[in-house]
């Protein structure tokens, strides 16, 4: 009964929230500052392209130009490393988290500050609905921004190795986009929870990120961090593509009885855990909002 | 049955006292809530809205607990004291956005919002961004948002603050209209004159305690230990002293003062009911025509002053 | 004798005797200066002390070693205390002191107008019998005096010390009157420029801490970026010295060198000799200061007109 | 006190004051008008804070075009919004304002304490302003306008946000101001009852034009043709009795409205009350209120 009601309502509730919240997120100057910072390495890529485009050597295979560097290595193999490093270290670990903190605070905490949350609390909808639709909008926006930035970055960086290089390494791009999606789902949920309970989500979000994610993620008990699951997906994806990577490169090991043990999680499990984290934190956040006194 | 029932409600925010042991029943119609700043008016309103949960006691709105029962919130409208806008929206967007939250279709929501806003005199500016609105327009938008879905109960916290007299007049007329339709309206205001014009039913709060509630004339009657001063002015000034002398013969008149300049007699009584019943009879018997029987003590100002101002320590 | 009983008014009519506008402005400025130096502003005091230590320490350390100096005509000696230490004063102003000077300017100027704007007491000041320009001058004086304290004052002490070394002869001062003038001009030039730019930031960003940060980042960020850019261009051989004019610090330094009449040389990279026409340098300078002044004036006039 | 001749003020395309001419007498003057009618613009022009587009304005006999700054020595201003620094104590702030106006330190200090005493501020004047309540902040704002003993003081919404008691105090203070020190008051407000209780004169502005200028006392004495009656006991009986004497009472607002014909009507009301054995709480011919006047003029 209840659930069908909620479902029926969703077609009236979700569109305006989607419209308003995505507008608010996309018009926010801070978002664009982050996007610009995120795209700065692209210019570096462009610069490199123009600087060294004369020095590349190429041969034609099936009418396509395959580029080599001076030492005879495939150029796109070198460039894909640059892209992967940039996206996994810079976009996922730095900009992505900042964007999640910013979005969650804009979506939820800002409404407390503007006191529109009080009005929303006097409308006949559950607090879960208030928070869930906002969360979904946030995930969509964040995923959209991160994914499109990744694509732009991919194209710009791989430009050096010609069309052939761009097509050859598309798998890496899909992998990055997948990671970005799950990152949005998990981190946004956690920061929404923080926003729903506390007054200063920026500070607490960064404290959580530094103390929890950065310090715990390399240790014995790293399964309690989101970073672990993200790294697992990355590690497994790269293995699938056929890179020679070890779990140690991604810190997915722990030491038991002086032996190094691989603790990388299965990608399917990792994805399910992240979706679970996202939904769980949203439900928990909704409980916090429902019990909140004004 | 009363729409809103508060039973021995106490609310503390941490160590800060909000309200303490308030019991009232609010019936349909207009009720004014008065009290100094920080007396607990807003806290009481939030309790009724289900925004806060009482520390002790129970709140019942239309038979249900407002904090947990969110489904009946479409019967309660709230006009907060503070600004609560998405500044980037237009007034029309803002009202229809919240209508959608009340589960209305897009088309329907927009039409209702348009109708409600133009009823409140915002036809020309409802497409403008709220950012550019003046104080009065903001108040009107807030009221439009709270009333557009036709709620049974309307809670208004300082709806007149910062509004110019025309806006205030318009809002008051609307409120009277709604209360005649049988809705329950609770309104708090610092401007006693406005409340006096709107309604006789008041609730007086100070320091989180309820000091008085009910019809203000009834309240005044209960306070008969404070003598009441009544002004009477005869048409013929020659009758001033005669009437004063005659009135002093009655045992329930404690004092009389003649004010020649204003042409009136100031009578002081501690049995007001008898006074009001007997005075016309005496006037008729003595054949003295008067143009005015009036008491400054009857105004809300003086009532407020007497209850909030001094009597805490008595 | 018995005194007569009397009753006086509770609140009497009052006509204040009011002073003239210049003295109001001076008073406001001086009170602001004293407030900056009060014990509450520990950071400002610490920075002032640091700059003084730096200057005097520099002087004491250098007086023993050899330092490039133009020999004086009277004493044919390469002893630092006896030579005309033009280069010294320049280096001092542009070396380490520069970092602290900008920091000090950022901290001290950021609050002056920003605080008035956040709590809106600006409206009250403007409804007093002073014009907008008077208000700006009154807010400018404290920073100016504070910066003078750390630019001109220590150098003057060094100057006096040198005079003492030279035997306190009046002739020495007469021979070095241009040096004295240069010290004063350089000090007031730096102080005035930085205080005007600082006040601009204070007006534009009406949050004290943000204004200080923005001022600092703007001045230093632009200096670093332009220096790197300049180097890159120099190596590729397409360099144009005019690019240095885009950085506030470099612009002020170039003018500082003009004031001392020494060969313009520049930056930590030790590049020497730049080729820019005087008119360009001063043109850019006047443009920057003028636009800062106009901007502040415009911002405040906006506040008057609106609510 | 203030004379404005054909003042026009434009902000870009918006005309705030449109050929505004007024001659404001001395005393306590209330300025009324809807939002955006040009009240604040007029006050700011009179303060010399902004210049007119055209037209001339004279304050206290001095032409503002020539003398925008020095005229402020004779004027005090209390703005509408909160505009006092939180970091200072009340006394410090007032002395600073006095000094900025050009007083010497001694007279500023002495005057500060005198004013604060008059405004019934006790020990709290040595506390930080951030700890003050709304009423106290408002008092400090008023005090800073009075510090240099101005001949005119502009008050912009002095009672907004105050609770009834604080409002009462504020109004009494303003009322006392002219009596004690002869200061002229120019009061701009949205609360019409403030004007009724405080002012001698009222000016209504709308659409940048002067709509009305009238003496408040005269205005308030205008009587309407309605007698307000309030009855205890059975109202129905009373209405029936009145009907017998040929008078129809209508219920209005609070109580009954009885049309006034002549003085006989009062006697008939008294008779009816006796006959129906009711208490007669109130019987008075209603007068014009500021509300009526305002709505008549503005709408």
């Amino acid at each position: 009964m209840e659930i069908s009601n909620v479902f029926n309502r969703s077609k009236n509730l979700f569109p305006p929230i989607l419209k308003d919240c995505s507008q608010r997120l996309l018009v926010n100057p801070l978002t664009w500052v982050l996007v610009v910072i995120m795209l700065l390495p692209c210019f570096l890529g462009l610069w490199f392209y123009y600087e060294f485009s004369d020095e590349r050597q190429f041969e034609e295979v099936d009418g396509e130009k395959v580029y080599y560097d001076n030492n005879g290595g495939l150029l796109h193999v070198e460039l894909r490393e640059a892209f992967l490093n940039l996206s996994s270290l810079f976009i996922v670990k730095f900009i992505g988290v900042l964007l999640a903190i910013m979005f969650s605070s804009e979506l939820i905490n800002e409404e407390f500050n503007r006191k529109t949350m009080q009005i929303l609390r006097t409308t006949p909808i559950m607090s879960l609905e208030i928070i869930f639709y906002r969360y979904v909008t946030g995930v969509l926006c964040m995923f959209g921004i991160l994914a499109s930035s990744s694509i732009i970055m991919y194209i710009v960086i791989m430009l050096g190795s010609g069309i052939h290089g761009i097509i050859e390494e598309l798998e890496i791009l899909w992998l990055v986009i997948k990671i970005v999606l799950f990152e949005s789902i998990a981190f946004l949920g956690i920061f929404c929870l923080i926003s729903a309970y506390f007054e200063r989500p920026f500070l607490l979000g960064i404290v959580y990120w530094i103390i929890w994610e950065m310090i715990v993620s390399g240790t014995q008990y790293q399964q309690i961090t989101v970073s672990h699951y993200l790294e697992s997906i990355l590690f497994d994806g790269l293995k699938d593509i056929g890179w020679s990577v070890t779990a140690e490169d991604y810190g997915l090991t722990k030491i038991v009885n002086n032996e190094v043990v691989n603790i990388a999680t299965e990608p399917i499990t990792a994805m399910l855990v992240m979706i679970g984290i996202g939904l769980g934190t949203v439900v928990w956040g909704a409980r916090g909002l429902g019990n909140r006194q004004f | 049955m009363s729409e809103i029932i508060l039973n021995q409600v106490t609310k503390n925010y941490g160590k800060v006292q909000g309200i303490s042991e308030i019991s009232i029943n609010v019936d349909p119609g207009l009720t004014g809530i008065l009290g100094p700043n920080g007396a607990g008016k807003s806290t009481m309103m939030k309790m009724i809205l289900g925004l806060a949960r009482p520390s002790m006691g129970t709140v019942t709105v239309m038979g249900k607990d407002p904090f947990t029962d969110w489904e009946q919130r479409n019967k309660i409208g709230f006009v907060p004291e503070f600004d609560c806008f998405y500044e980037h929206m237009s007034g029309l967007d803002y009202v229809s956005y919240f209508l959608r939250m009340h589960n209305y279709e897009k088309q329907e929501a927009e039409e209702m919002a348009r109708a409600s806003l133009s009823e409140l005199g915002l036809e020309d500016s409802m497409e403008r961004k709220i950012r550019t609105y003046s104080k009065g327009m903001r108040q009107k938008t807030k009221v439009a948002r709270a009333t557009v879905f036709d709620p049974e109960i309307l809670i208004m916290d300082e709806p007149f603050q910062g509004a110019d007299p025309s806006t205030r007049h318009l809002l008051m007329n609307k409120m009277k209209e709604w209360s005649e339709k049988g809705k329950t309206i609770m309104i708090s205001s610092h401007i006693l004159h406005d409340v006096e014009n709107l309604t006789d039913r008041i609730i007086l709060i100070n320091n989180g305690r309820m000091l008085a509630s009910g019809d203000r004339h009834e309240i005044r009657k209960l306070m008969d230990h404070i003598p009441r001063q009544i002004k009477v002015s005869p048409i013929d000034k020659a009758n001033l002293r005669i009437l004063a002398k005659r009135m002093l013969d009655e045992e329930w008149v404690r004092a009389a003062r003649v004010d020649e300049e204003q042409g009136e007699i100031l009578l002081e009584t501690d049995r007001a009911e008898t006074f009001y019943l007997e005075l016309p009879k005496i006037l008729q018997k003595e054949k003295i025509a008067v143009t005015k029987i009036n008491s400054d003590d009857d105004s809300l100002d003086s009532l407020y002053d007497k209850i909030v101002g001094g009597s805490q320590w008595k | 004798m018995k005194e007569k009983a009397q009753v006086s008014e509770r609140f009497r009519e009052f006509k204040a005797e009011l002073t003239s506008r210049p003295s109001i402005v001076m008073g406001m400025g001086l009170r602001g200066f004293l407030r900056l130096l009060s014990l509450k502003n520990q950071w400002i005091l610490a920075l002032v002390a640091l700059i003084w230590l730096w200057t005097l320490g520099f002087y004491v350390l250098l007086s023993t070693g050899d330092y490039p100096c133009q020999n004086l005509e009277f004493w044919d000696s390469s002893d630092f205390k006896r030579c005309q230490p033009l280069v010294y004063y320049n280096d001092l102003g542009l070396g380490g002191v520069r970092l602290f000077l900008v920091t000090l300017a950022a901290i001290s100027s950021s609050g002056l107008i920003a605080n008035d704007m956040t709590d809106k007491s600006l409206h009250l000041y403007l409804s007093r019998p002073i014009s907008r320009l008077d208000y700006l001058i009154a807010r400018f004086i404290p920073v100016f005096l504070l910066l003078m304290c750390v630019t001109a004052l220590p150098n003057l002490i060094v100057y006096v010390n040198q005079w003492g070394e030279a035997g306190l002869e009046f002739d020495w001062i007469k021979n070095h009157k241009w040096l004295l003038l240069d010290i004063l001009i350089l000090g007031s030039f730096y102080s005035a420029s930085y205080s005007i730019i600082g006040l601009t930031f204070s007006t534009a960003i009406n949050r004290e801490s943000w204004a200080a940060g923005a001022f600092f980042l703007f001045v230093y960020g632009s200096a670093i970026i332009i220096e790197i850019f300049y180097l890159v261009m120099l190596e590729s051989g397409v360099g144009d010295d005019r690019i240095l004019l885009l950085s506030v610090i470099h612009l002020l330094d170039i003018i500082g060198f003009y004031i001392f009449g020494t060969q313009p040389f520049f930056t930590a990279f030790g590049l020497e000799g730049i080729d820019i026409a005087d008119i360009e340098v001063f043109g850019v300078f006047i443009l920057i200061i003028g636009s800062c002044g106009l901007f502040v004036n415009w911002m405040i006039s906006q506040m008057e007109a609106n609510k | 006190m203030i004379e404005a001749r054909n003042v026009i003020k434009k902000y870009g395309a918006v005309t705030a004051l449109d050929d505004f001419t007024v001659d404001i007498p001395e005393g306590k003057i209330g300025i009324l008008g809807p939002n955006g009618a040009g009240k604040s613009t007029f006050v700011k022009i009179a303060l010399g804070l902004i210049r007119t587009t055209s037209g001339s304005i004279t304050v206290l006999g001095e032409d503002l075009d020539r003398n925008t700054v020095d005229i402020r020595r004779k004027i005090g201003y209390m703005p509408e919004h909160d505009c006092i620094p939180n970091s200072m104590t009340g006394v410090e702030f007032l002395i600073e304002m006095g000094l900025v106006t050009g007083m010497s330190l001694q007279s500023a200090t002495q005057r500060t304490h005198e004013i604060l005493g008059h405004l019934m501020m006790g020990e709290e004047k040595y506390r930080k302003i951030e700890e003050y309540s709304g009423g106290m902040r408002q008092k400090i704002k008023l005090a800073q306008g009075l510090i240099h003993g101005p001949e005119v003081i502009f008050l912009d919404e002095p009672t907004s946000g105050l609770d009834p008691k604080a409002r009462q105090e504020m109004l009494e203070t303003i009322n006392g101001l002219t009596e004690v020190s002869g200061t002229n008051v120019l009061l701009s407000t949205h609360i019409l009852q403030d004007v009724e209780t405080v002012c001698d004169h009222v000016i209504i502005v709308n659409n940048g034009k002067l709509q009305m200028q009238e003496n408040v006392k005269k205005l308030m004495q205008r009587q309407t043709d309605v007698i307000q009656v309030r009855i205890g006991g059975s109202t129905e009986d009373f209405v029936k009795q009145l009907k017998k004497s040929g008078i129809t009472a209508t219920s209005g607002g609070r109580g009954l409205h009885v049309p006034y014909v002549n003085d006989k009507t009062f006697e008939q009301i008294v008779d009816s009350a006796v006959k129906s054995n009711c208490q007669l709480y109130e019987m008075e011919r209603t007068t014009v209120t500021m509300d009526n006047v305002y709505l008549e003029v503005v709408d």
Side-chain angles (χ1 to χ4, degrees), chain B residues 35-37 134 136 161-166 168-169 190-193 196 200 216-217 221 235 273 276-277 280-281 283-284 289-294 298 304 309, chain D residues 33-35 160-165 167-168 190-193 230 254 263 266-267 270-271 273-275 277-285 291 294-295 298-299:
Chain B
N37 279 330
S134 71
Q161 194 158 54
D164 61 29
S166 314
R168 183 173 298 164
H169 189 74
H190 279 329
I191 301 156
L192 301 176
H193 187 87
E196 196 172 338
D200 276 343
R216 65 186 170 90
H217 302 295
K221 269 182 213 162
I235 294 174
E273 286 305 294
Y276 283 127
L277 194 64
K281 290 176 187 165
L283 289 177
Q284 201 180 27
V290 295
T291 57
K292 188 167 94 173
I293 302 173
N294 192 10
D298 238 15
Y304 181 91
Chain D
N35 284 325
S160 78
L162 296 183
D163 62 32
K165 220 171 153 201
R167 199 174 128 231
Q168 189 79 25
H190 280 328
I191 301 166
L192 301 172
Q193 287 69 48
R230 211 156 51 78
R254 23 188 270 263
D263 283 348
F266 292 113
E267 279 176 51
V270 171
D271 286 347
V274 174
K275 277 180 197 151
N277 202 23
C278 286
Q279 287 110 326
L280 185 57
Y281 289 132
E282 196 182 324
M283 177 182 76
E284 188 183 6
R285 195 165 157 196
D291 296 77
Y294 178 88
L295 292 171
V298 169
D299 289 338

Side-chain angles (χ1 to χ4, degrees), chain D residues 48-67:
Chain D
L49 282 177
I50 47 181
R51 283 176 183 278
T52 56
T53 314
S54 75
S56 70
I57 186 160
T58 317
V59 177
L60 296 168
E62 289 190 60
D63 191 358
L64 264 193
D65 274 347
R66 254 178 286 130
N67 201 358

Side-chain angles (χ1 to χ4, degrees), chain C residues 159-204:
Chain C
Y159 182 85
V160 170
N161 195 301
Q162 283 181 328
W163 179 42
E165 292 282 328
L168 290 176
E169 284 177 36
F170 187 66
D171 272 354
W172 196 87
I173 291 188
K174 224 159 80 183
N175 283 321
H176 294 83
K177 56 179 181 285
W178 295 118
L179 180 62
L180 180 64
L181 202 64
D182 284 345
I183 290 173
L184 287 176
I185 291 176
L186 185 77
S188 49
F189 167 73
Y190 269 99
S191 313
S193 313
Y194 278 129
S195 13
I196 287 174
I197 298 172
L199 285 185
T200 310
F201 272 91
S202 180
T203 321

Side-chain angles (χ1 to χ4, degrees), chain A:
Chain A
M1 215 43 234
E2 189 87 314
I3 288 168
S4 70
N5 268 344
V6 169
F7 189 73
N8 286 336
R9 260 206 306 269
S10 70
K11 72 176 191 303
N12 275 331
L13 293 188
F14 187 50
I17 292 181
L18 179 69
K19 185 179 157 224
D20 168 57
C21 289
S22 54
Q23 188 190 344
R24 249 164 47 208
L25 292 179
L26 296 181
V27 165
N28 200 325
L30 210 53
T31 311
W32 292 104
V33 169
L34 284 177
V35 168
V36 167
I37 291 175
M38 186 155 56
L39 290 177
L40 270 183
C42 289
F43 296 113
L44 216 64
L46 273 181
W47 187 64
F48 269 107
Y49 174 71
Y50 282 112
E51 200 73 358
F52 302 108
S53 56
D54 304 334
E55 296 172 18
R56 326 178 275 192
Q57 284 138 23
F58 62 88
E59 69 183 43
E60 295 217 359
V61 179
D62 305 333
E64 270 186 296
K65 284 180 178 174
V66 180
Y67 289 89
Y68 296 94
D69 66 358
N70 282 333
N71 306 325
L74 274 168
L75 201 54
H76 64 78
V77 175
E78 272 174 36
L79 286 178
R80 72 178 187 193
E81 292 248 351
F83 169 68
L84 188 68
N85 283 341
L86 265 180
S87 51
S88 72
L89 292 176
F90 186 62
I91 293 192
V92 174
K93 288 218 173 129
F94 183 65
I95 301 289
V97 178
L98 284 186
L99 211 58
I101 295 177
M102 205 211 96
F103 275 19
S104 63
S105 101
E106 170 71 35
L107 286 174
I108 293 167
N109 213 266
E110 195 55 28
E111 302 237 12
F112 282 126
N113 293 342
R114 285 192 196 144
K115 319 224 169 164
T116 41
M117 198 54 103
Q118 294 195 27
I119 307 285
L120 279 174
R121 269 288 302 282
T122 60
T123 54
I125 52 175
M126 290 189 288
S127 48
L128 181 63
E129 288 172 285
I130 296 177
I131 214 163
F132 181 71
Y133 294 130
R134 278 175 175 65
Y135 166 72
V136 172
T137 314
V139 168
L140 288 180
C141 284
M142 188 173 157
F143 173 65
I145 287 174
L146 287 179
S148 47
S149 306
S150 299
I151 292 171
I152 292 171
M153 201 149 121
Y154 174 78
I155 292 172
V156 171
I157 288 179
M158 299 303 281
L159 207 61
S161 57
I163 306 290
H164 171 75
I166 292 180
I167 295 168
E168 195 80 338
E169 301 295 343
L170 271 179
E171 278 171 322
I172 291 280
L173 179 62
W174 300 143
L175 182 62
V176 167
I177 288 178
K178 192 160 88 179
I179 289 170
V180 161
L181 172 66
F182 284 102
E183 189 200 16
S184 314
I185 291 177
F187 274 132
L188 210 56
I190 290 171
F191 293 130
C192 278
L193 174 66
I194 292 176
S195 291
Y197 273 93
F198 300 102
E199 305 255 308
R200 293 192 183 170
F202 262 97
L203 190 70
L204 279 169
I206 287 172
V207 164
Y208 159 81
W209 179 37
I210 289 171
I211 292 192
W212 194 259
E213 295 290 338
M214 306 264 262
I215 293 175
V216 181
S217 68
T219 62
Q220 302 270 348
Y221 308 105
Q222 53 177 278
Q223 278 98 333
I224 47 174
T225 66
V226 175
S227 306
H228 167 81
Y229 297 101
L230 286 175
E231 293 282 10
S232 294
I233 295 176
L234 179 65
F235 170 66
D236 208 80
L238 288 178
K239 242 180 17 192
D240 275 357
I241 296 171
W243 289 31
S244 57
V245 285
T246 59
E248 225 162 358
D249 294 346
Y250 292 90
L252 296 169
T253 52
K254 72 173 177 184
I255 298 164
V256 181
N257 302 330
N258 294 329
E259 267 179 68
V260 180
V261 181
N262 183 353
I263 50 166
T265 316
E266 281 291 303
I268 301 294
T269 325
M271 287 175 200
L272 287 178
V273 167
M274 297 235 254
I275 293 173
I277 289 175
L279 294 180
T281 44
V282 166
V283 172
W284 192 5
R287 249 193 67 195
L289 185 64
N291 286 323
R292 188 154 173 147
Q293 317 250 329
F294 290 91

Side-chain angles (χ1 to χ4, degrees), chain D residues 45-290:
Chain D
I45 288 177
L47 270 173
L49 282 177
I50 47 181
R51 283 176 183 278
T52 56
T53 314
S54 75
S56 70
I57 186 160
T58 317
V59 177
L60 296 168
E62 289 190 60
D63 191 358
L64 264 193
D65 274 347
R66 254 178 286 130
N67 201 358
T68 43
V69 173
D70 284 331
I71 189 69
R72 292 186 214 149
R73 287 162 192 261
K74 297 186 190 169
I75 301 177
Y77 177 47
M78 175 186 177
E80 174 191 356
H81 43 254
D82 210 16
C83 57
I84 38 180
N86 284 325
S87 54
M88 289 176 161
T89 66
V91 169
E92 265 173 16
F93 171 66
L94 284 184
I95 292 177
E96 171 73 24
M97 288 327 281
L99 291 173
V100 173
T101 321
M103 297 161 82
S104 68
L105 182 62
Q106 282 75 26
S107 65
T109 314
Q110 180 257 330
R111 175 76 176 166
T112 295
H113 289 284
E114 190 184 325
I115 289 182
L116 288 181
H118 180 67
L119 293 176
M120 312 278 201
M121 293 273 278
E123 276 304 299
E124 63 265 27
K125 66 187 174 190
Y126 296 112
R127 273 198 269 140
K128 284 251 171 80
I129 292 177
E130 60 190 344
E131 298 167 19
Y132 283 13
S133 69
M136 270 147 77
R137 296 179 81 95
Q138 217 71 354
K139 277 183 187 172
I140 289 281
K141 257 161 70 180
L142 179 65
Q144 65 79 25
L146 288 171
I147 186 93
H148 53 294
E151 289 173 36
V152 190
I153 180 162
F154 292 101
L155 307 173
D156 204 348
E157 305 247 358
T159 56
S160 78
L162 296 183
D163 62 32
K165 220 171 153 201
R167 199 174 128 231
Q168 189 79 25
E169 267 181 39
M170 180 52 78
L171 290 180
E172 271 165 22
T173 312
I174 296 170
N175 238 339
L177 221 57
T178 22
E179 278 168 33
V180 180
S181 66
T183 314
N184 298 309
V185 175
L186 207 58
L187 176 81
S188 142
T189 182
H190 280 328
I191 301 166
L192 301 172
Q193 287 69 48
D194 288 0
V195 175
E196 262 177 57
T197 44
V198 170
C199 295
D200 310 329
H201 242 79
V202 62
I203 289 169
I204 299 184
V205 184
N206 195 14
N207 297 329
K209 284 200 168 96
L210 181 71
Q211 301 285 350
M212 198 189 80
Q213 180 177 3
E214 190 77 62
N215 190 303
V216 174
K217 272 218 182 81
K218 270 186 202 159
L219 207 62
M220 294 298 100
Q221 275 168 1
R222 269 202 249 151
Q223 291 184 320
T224 55
D225 284 343
V226 172
I227 302 169
Q228 166 89 29
V229 177
R230 211 156 51 78
I231 290 293
S234 163
T235 316
E236 277 173 34
D237 278 356
F238 176 75
V239 174
K240 261 184 217 156
Q241 287 296 336
L242 264 185
K243 228 179 194 138
K244 274 183 200 161
S245 30
I247 299 170
T248 328
T250 49
S251 72
R254 23 188 270 263
L256 296 169
H257 285 174
V258 178
Y260 170 82
V261 186
N262 51 30
D263 283 348
K264 261 278 194 244
T265 319
F266 292 113
E267 279 176 51
Q268 283 161 338
I269 291 172
V270 171
D271 286 347
S272 311
V274 174
K275 277 180 197 151
S276 57
N277 202 23
C278 286
Q279 287 110 326
L280 185 57
Y281 289 132
E282 196 182 324
M283 177 182 76
E284 188 183 6
R285 195 165 157 196
T286 54
T287 51
V288 171
T289 61
M290 217 24 133

Side-chain angles (χ1 to χ4, degrees), chain C residues 69-231:
Chain C
C69 50
Q70 290 158 297
N71 287 346
L72 300 181
E73 296 127 47
F74 299 98
W75 291 276
D76 187 21
S77 160
S78 64
D79 185 4
F80 178 74
K81 286 180 181 170
R82 299 261 156 72
C83 70
Q84 183 174 8
L86 272 183
V87 189
Y88 159 74
Y89 287 114
N90 266 334
D91 283 2
L92 193 61
L94 308 174
V97 172
R98 192 169 68 174
L99 176 69
F100 302 127
L101 190 65
V102 176
T103 318
L104 185 66
I107 294 180
S108 57
S109 67
S110 60
L112 286 174
I113 293 182
N115 282 348
D116 282 354
M117 278 170 91
T118 34
D119 58 31
K120 289 179 180 162
S121 52
L122 182 63
H123 291 260
L124 295 181
Y125 285 109
L126 290 179
S127 68
R128 301 279 139 188
I130 49 173
S131 71
R132 220 180 299 150
L133 190 66
D134 290 339
Y135 171 77
L136 284 182
I137 293 172
R139 283 293 178 245
F140 164 82
I141 289 174
V143 202
F144 179 76
L145 286 181
L146 186 73
L147 293 186
M148 278 301 263
C149 275
V150 297
T151 49
L153 212 54
N155 282 352
L156 279 180
I157 289 174
V158 172
Y159 182 85
V160 170
N161 195 301
Q162 283 181 328
W163 179 42
E165 292 282 328
L168 290 176
E169 284 177 36
F170 187 66
D171 272 354
W172 196 87
I173 291 188
K174 224 159 80 183
N175 283 321
H176 294 83
K177 56 179 181 285
W178 295 118
L179 180 62
L180 180 64
L181 202 64
D182 284 345
I183 290 173
L184 287 176
I185 291 176
L186 185 77
S188 49
F189 167 73
Y190 269 99
S191 313
S193 313
Y194 278 129
S195 13
I196 287 174
I197 298 172
L199 285 185
T200 310
F201 272 91
S202 180
T203 321
I205 304 169
N206 44 17
R207 220 42 114 74
E208 186 176 359
S209 48
W210 291 20
F215 176 62
F216 194 78
L217 277 182
F218 170 73
V219 171
Y220 267 96
S222 65
I224 288 168
I225 290 171
I226 277 171
E227 216 155 282
I228 291 171
F229 216 69
Y230 182 70
L231 268 185

